Structures are given as C-alpha cells and as structure tokens.
Amino acid sequence: MPRTVYILALAGALATAAAAVLIRQGLRGGNVYGGYWVNLAVGTVCLWAAVLVSGPLEPLQARGVVFFVLAGLVGTVAGRLLRFVSIEKVGASVTAALNNLYPFISSGLAILLLGERVTMAIVAVTVVIVLGTLLLSAGGRHVGFRPRDLVFPILSAACFGVVTVLRKLGLSSMSPVPGFAINVTTALIAFTAFLAVSGSRGAMALTGRSLAYFVAAGVAENAGVFLGLLALSLGTVSVVAPLAGTAPIFVLLMSFFFLRGIERLTTHIVLGTLFIVLGVYLITAL
C-alpha cells in the first residue's frame, strides 16, 4: 500500500481536529444549528468549485450517486450534527476521543460487506488506538458533564463508522471530488429543509466572531473528510479508518494552546494520548 495513504489519512485527522477546536470556539457565542449550517454551506461551495476546476464532470453512475447521497444523510447530516452537539455538551477533547470508536464499526462492516482482509496486526493496532480513546474519555469525567451526554459522541461515531463503508462503496463508481460534492450538497438540502419545516430558521443568527470561527471550521472539516476520501480511494477501510481516528492527538495538542480556560488536561487524557500515538506508530510501520 503506498505511503500516500498514510499521509492523506493523517492530514485528514489533523484537519478534523482543527475543525473541532474551531467549532468549540464558535459555540462560545453561536449555536449548534447555525454553526452546522455554515459548515455545510462552506463545504458545498468549496466542493463544487473543486469540481469545476478539475475539468469536465464525469458521467454520473446511479450506483455511486445513491451511495454518496446515503453518505450525506448518515454521515454528514446525522454524524456531523451529532458531533456539533457533542462538542457543545462534553467538549472537543472528549468528543474527538469517543468519535474514535468508529474504526471498530467501519472495520467490521468492511469485513462483512466489502470482503476486506483484516490482519491480526491491524486488529491489534485498532485495539490500542481505541484503548487510548477510552482512557481519554475517562479523563472527561473530571471536566464536569452528565454521563448521559456521552450518548451524543457515541452515536456520532456509529454514523461515521457506517459512512466510511458507504463512501468506499461509492468510490467504486465515482471519483472523490464529485462524490463528496454530492454528499455535502445532499446534507445541505436536507438540513435546510429541516430548518424550514421545524421553524428553526432563527437559529441562523450568528455574531461576526462566531461566524468567522464556523466558516474556518467548515473549511477544515470538509478538507479533512475530503483527504480521508482520497485515502480511501487508494487504501482499505481497515487501514484508513484507524489512522483517521488519530484526531484526538491533535485535538489534545490544540486544546492546550487554543482552549485554555475552556478545557483542561487530566492524567487519563495524557495516558490515552500516549496509547493512540503508539497505535499510529505501529500501523504506519506495518
């Protein structure tokens, strides 16, 4: 497998981590619905601009469109919205940690649906990474949130686990750029319709500072997912998913510098990070 796969997956994790920190800052003066809609709008504009720049649009195959539409509903509407709620409820560090459970889900689905061969070495590394995640989440109990709020990042992780496989299936019939553009556009249309029907359009009011954070988060978030898609187009789900799940390392480091006074580090969080770093080293050395 080319080294490019590892680089793309880790770059995607870094961008996703930056998005989590930016979202946390934006939520200090904004709200979940407004921030999430901006996130989708930025992604839609950027992705279709990339489609136009990359040349003539390839003929769309119904199979690929269906999988990316489903990915938009499951991963980008449900998973990403739950991620926004999670960051507001339990913080960026704990959300990133529990979101990291999704490699178990995506790897299992890859074995069942895609016929991928997962070696014992990859399984062992995934276990190390997830063990680190559990330690990180245990440290969150000292931060001060209700245990029941952990359901939000766990459900978000489940959505991300499913969407990884949906995108991998979609990539068999469509290239990453138009595929992800369809993915994000589906989410934007669905969520805008939800706001209109529910009468929640007032949630779109954002201050200038929060709006700037959410726009930056939208660029980082969608860049992270796109880099992950490129990695998936070159590698297997069972390798890309655990690497993309290293975002908590970067969230932890960024939180130390940019979220002081909002989130704090604990022994559990530091130990969890060390486990995840070990997992990254092992999987890149395979």
Side-chain angles (χ1 to χ4, degrees):
M1 187 176 300
R3 290 283 177 182
T4 307
V5 173
Y6 304 122
I7 295 171
L8 289 171
L10 287 172
L14 177 60
T16 299
V21 173
L22 290 165
I23 290 168
R24 186 70 180 90
Q25 290 284 16
L27 288 173
R28 298 177 70 184
N31 59 78
V32 170
Y33 282 0
Y36 176 64
W37 189 89
V38 169
N39 186 289
L40 294 178
V42 169
T44 300
V45 171
C46 291
L47 264 297
W48 283 112
V51 170
L52 294 175
V53 169
S54 61
L57 183 64
E58 64 185 33
L60 299 180
Q61 297 188 32
R63 184 175 186 273
V65 171
V66 168
F67 280 123
F68 276 110
V69 166
L70 289 174
L73 296 175
V74 175
T76 312
V77 173
R80 200 182 294 187
L81 180 57
L82 284 166
R83 183 167 176 261
F84 265 75
V85 175
S86 301
I87 291 172
E88 181 182 50
K89 297 285 187 182
V90 303
S93 299
V94 176
T95 295
L98 287 177
N99 273 175
N100 205 36
L101 292 172
Y102 85 91
F104 269 138
I105 300 168
S106 57
S107 295
L109 290 173
I111 296 169
L112 293 174
L113 302 178
L114 303 182
E116 290 190 3
R117 178 176 174 271
V118 180
T119 66
M120 286 304 299
I122 291 175
V123 171
V125 170
T126 302
V127 170
V128 170
I129 290 174
V130 175
L131 178 59
T133 295
L134 295 177
L135 285 169
L136 283 172
S137 63
R141 288 181 295 183
H142 303 287
V143 176
F145 56 80
R146 294 174 298 180
R148 67 185 183 187
D149 288 337
L150 293 177
V151 70
F152 294 109
I154 291 171
L155 287 175
S156 177
C159 292
F160 290 146
V162 172
V163 82
T164 301
V165 177
L166 289 173
R167 287 170 178 157
K168 181 66 175 178
L169 291 168
L171 287 170
S172 65
S173 306
M174 186 178 296
S175 59
V177 177
F180 188 38
I182 290 172
N183 180 322
V184 177
T185 303
T186 299
L188 178 63
I189 293 171
F191 187 65
T192 302
F194 165 76
L195 289 177
V197 171
S198 65
S200 302
R201 285 172 290 182
M204 299 303 298
L206 296 171
T207 65
R209 188 179 181 84
S210 290
L211 180 60
Y213 277 123
F214 285 138
V215 169
V219 174
E221 180 99 55
N222 291 287
V225 177
F226 180 64
L227 288 168
L229 269 178
L230 288 178
L232 275 177
S233 68
L234 298 173
T236 61
V237 171
S238 50
V239 170
V240 173
L243 282 175
T246 60
I249 302 171
F250 303 116
V251 173
L252 188 62
L253 294 173
M254 292 178 186
S255 295
F256 180 77
F257 293 103
F258 303 112
L259 295 180
R260 287 189 177 187
I262 304 173
E263 298 186 14
R264 62 189 179 89
L265 304 181
T266 66
T267 303
H268 286 88
I269 291 175
V270 173
L271 288 175
T273 301
L274 292 177
F275 271 100
I276 293 174
V277 170
L278 175 62
V280 174
Y281 170 78
L282 291 174
I283 201 167
T284 52
L286 292 176

